[in-house]
Amino acid sequence: MYLRVTGRAIAQLFDYFERHSPDLGLLSHYVEKCANPGASAQLISSTAGIAISIGENDTALSLFSGLLRRHPEEASIHQQVGIRAFILGKYDLAEELWTRCNRLREELIAERGLDRAETRLLGPSWILAIGHIAHLDTYFKHKILGGRAENKTYLIPPLGLPIPNKKLLARWSGYIQIVSGRRDLPYSSTEVGLLQDEFWSLPLKDGRSKMFSHAGAIVQHEWEAAGFPPLLALTKEDFDTGGAALERLGVPPGSWFVCLHVREPGFHKKWHDLHPGTRNADISTYMPAAREIVSRGGYVIRMGDPSMKPLLPEPGIVDYAHSALRSEGMDIFLCGACKFFIGTNSGLGLVPPIFGVPCAMTNWSPIGLPQWYPKDLYIPKLLRSEKTGNVLMFEEMLMSEAGWIQFENELHEVGLRAIDNSPEELTELVLEML
């Protein structure tokens, strides 16, 4: 029940902000309500979110301090305020909020003696998307680097939240024990909330919590400096089963192939309708690059789902997204067995690197948040000023909010438009990978 409410609370909070246009008047109204001694944690959390939405960060931090003080054990609701700051592109603020709530959580864990059990639970945010599941790579590398490899990690699959790819989650079976519900663990609902580690941030050695991408970069750097191999690897059974399926797709035994995944709005249509992203691209612009791969003896496997634009039949290019052989297990095999992966800013692009496969990330947006695996190459979408027509320099993008915005409506609000990579640019990147 606790986990189900947590997931719904986050969804309801986001829904609230889509139905209201926050302003100072609304903020003042709710700040007054928050002063009531009986104000709920969700009310204070939502009011802090209103403050963040209109740039009243000091008010948000004040409300958040009150939330931690008055409702110290509502760990999942503390997280929501940081998520709101993250969604709005206020990453420094998000990290400050997550640092505060994670520090309090660790203090309460120690006070209750829960640290002695050396047990952690994975919260529902880890299975919101396939990229979240893939980011368990960072989570467990961090545990191993910190000498906590033997600590027990449990996952209670939240009610009402489908697992995006059960086969990928199963790959972590050596690190996670999945239990059916809280009754299988010797903890109360409050203790479950305290012991839950969430996807959004990771507390590092200095005590600061970094958002998932920043933490990923730090952890991966340490991992490779230590000379450790990837945590996951495909098995002989994977290659036997996957190889047979590849033959049925028209890829001869022993042939090399590249995976291609270009994000479109269909898969996350409801989310995209609320938050139109800058991360999508046009698959047709990738065809010259795909033909270059085919001309060099390789095959191109177009990844995705049936909501995507179908490809016209072409030698050496397999539209796997519309194939009857498409499955969760095959998705993972292809990502782990390809020569390299061509992708956009989408969760699937995090799957190949956990098997040690490099990525050529294209049409990347926002430029300030690239993937963190050092074998990857990436080229960002550029930004053009609608007022002057000039394209922003990289420094202009990275030294302003422009380099961190990931939603089209927010770009338009600051007078900018994203420019997709050209077919020539995409081809040059692929040639560099080859």
Side-chain angles (χ1 to χ4, degrees):
M1 182 64 178
Y2 176 85
L3 291 170
R4 179 173 58 190
V5 170
T6 298
R8 285 181 178 172
I10 293 173
Q12 288 168 355
L13 180 64
F14 289 163
D15 181 62
Y16 173 86
F17 287 108
E18 298 309 323
R19 292 184 286 104
H20 296 76
S21 298
D23 55 29
L24 278 172
L26 182 66
L27 176 61
S28 298
H29 171 74
Y30 280 105
V31 167
E32 185 176 339
K33 285 182 173 291
C34 289
N36 187 314
S40 69
Q42 189 65 59
L43 173 63
I44 301 173
S45 170
S46 298
T47 305
I50 294 173
I52 293 169
S53 297
I54 59 178
E56 296 291 323
N57 291 356
D58 289 342
T59 301
L61 287 168
S62 176
L63 287 162
F64 191 71
S65 295
L67 174 65
L68 297 180
R69 184 178 64 256
R70 295 162 63 182
H71 301 280
E73 296 181 338
E74 295 282 0
S76 66
I77 295 180
H78 302 164
Q79 291 279 343
Q80 294 174 27
V81 187
I83 296 169
R84 183 59 189 167
F86 168 80
I87 292 296
L88 292 172
K90 300 181 180 182
Y91 304 118
D92 288 343
L93 177 59
E95 289 184 342
E96 174 63 24
L97 295 166
W98 284 325
T99 295
R100 292 189 186 189
C101 69
N102 284 333
R103 283 177 177 170
L104 174 61
R105 191 164 65 95
E106 294 300 331
E107 291 173 6
L108 294 173
I109 286 172
E111 285 178 10
R112 285 173 170 257
L114 296 172
D115 54 331
R116 293 193 294 271
E118 297 183 338
T119 296
R120 286 302 168 105
L121 310 180
L122 296 176
S125 58
W126 288 101
I127 61 167
L128 291 177
I130 190 171
H132 292 214
I133 298 174
H135 197 72
L136 286 168
D137 187 54
T138 293
Y139 181 81
F140 289 114
K141 285 175 178 175
H142 181 55
K143 288 185 70 172
I144 293 168
L145 289 168
R148 294 174 288 111
E150 301 304 317
N151 288 11
K152 298 179 286 295
T153 304
Y154 295 94
L155 171 67
I156 308 173
L159 299 175
L161 284 179
I163 298 173
N165 190 300
K166 294 179 181 178
K167 296 295 185 180
L168 180 59
L169 183 61
R171 296 275 173 173
W172 297 109
S173 60
Y175 301 89
I176 303 171
Q177 183 173 340
I178 298 179
V179 295
S180 59
R182 184 176 62 78
R183 293 179 180 177
D184 294 336
L185 297 170
Y187 303 115
S188 67
S189 293
T190 297
E191 290 171 337
V192 165
L194 291 175
L195 289 170
Q196 276 189 160
D197 291 331
E198 296 291 354
F199 159 81
W200 306 99
S201 66
L202 191 64
L204 299 178
K205 294 176 183 177
D206 62 359
R208 298 282 303 174
S209 290
K210 293 291 186 181
M211 60 179 285
F212 60 88
S213 57
H214 294 169
I218 293 168
V219 170
Q220 188 63 25
H221 177 79
E222 293 179 2
W223 186 262
E224 298 206 0
F228 293 145
L231 286 180
L232 299 185
L234 296 177
T235 65
K236 181 182 183 299
E237 182 181 355
D238 290 326
F239 281 102
D240 289 343
T241 304
L246 277 173
E247 282 194 68
R248 293 173 63 188
L249 289 170
V251 180
S255 299
W256 63 273
F257 64 93
V258 170
C259 287
L260 169 64
H261 180 258
V262 180
R263 191 178 191 271
E264 295 183 16
F267 188 71
H268 293 293
K269 188 175 187 308
K270 186 175 180 181
W271 173 262
H272 184 79
D273 288 344
L274 292 175
H275 304 279
T278 60
R279 298 188 285 159
N280 301 322
D282 181 359
I283 184 67
S284 66
T285 60
Y286 289 76
M287 289 302 100
R291 293 178 190 122
E292 286 287 351
I293 292 168
V294 174
S295 73
R296 285 160 171 74
Y299 287 78
V300 176
I301 312 293
R302 190 274 187 97
M303 308 286 288
D305 68 280
S307 72
M308 292 179 158
K309 176 183 176 182
L311 299 181
L312 295 174
E314 195 164 333
I317 300 175
V318 178
D319 195 358
Y320 167 76
H322 292 271
S323 168
L325 296 178
R326 181 176 162 269
S327 69
E328 290 187 353
M330 191 64 178
D331 287 351
I332 305 309
F333 169 75
L334 292 171
C335 286
C338 60
K339 186 178 183 71
F340 63 91
F341 180 97
I342 307 168
T344 52
N345 188 352
S346 182
L348 190 64
L350 281 171
V351 177
I354 64 181
F355 292 95
V357 174
C359 296
M361 306 311 291
T362 61
N363 278 299
W364 193 273
S365 179
I367 187 176
L369 293 174
Q371 280 192 191
W372 47 89
Y373 290 92
K375 290 182 181 179
D376 295 353
L377 297 177
Y378 93 112
I379 49 176
K381 289 189 179 184
L382 300 180
L383 298 177
R384 187 186 302 279
S385 168
E386 294 179 334
K387 182 178 180 180
T388 67
N390 295 332
V391 175
L392 273 61
M393 304 291 284
F394 289 147
E395 185 175 6
E396 291 178 287
M397 296 167 69
L398 290 168
M399 296 299 289
S400 72
E401 64 180 335
W404 310 89
I405 294 174
Q406 56 181 309
F407 301 116
E408 288 181 356
N409 58 328
E410 294 175 21
L411 271 184
H412 294 321
E413 287 173 6
V414 294
L416 296 171
R417 179 172 58 85
I419 305 170
D420 283 14
N421 301 155
S422 69
E424 293 76 18
E425 290 167 335
L426 297 170
T427 301
E428 287 176 9
L429 181 65
V430 167
L431 290 176
E432 184 172 345
M433 287 295 290
L434 287 168

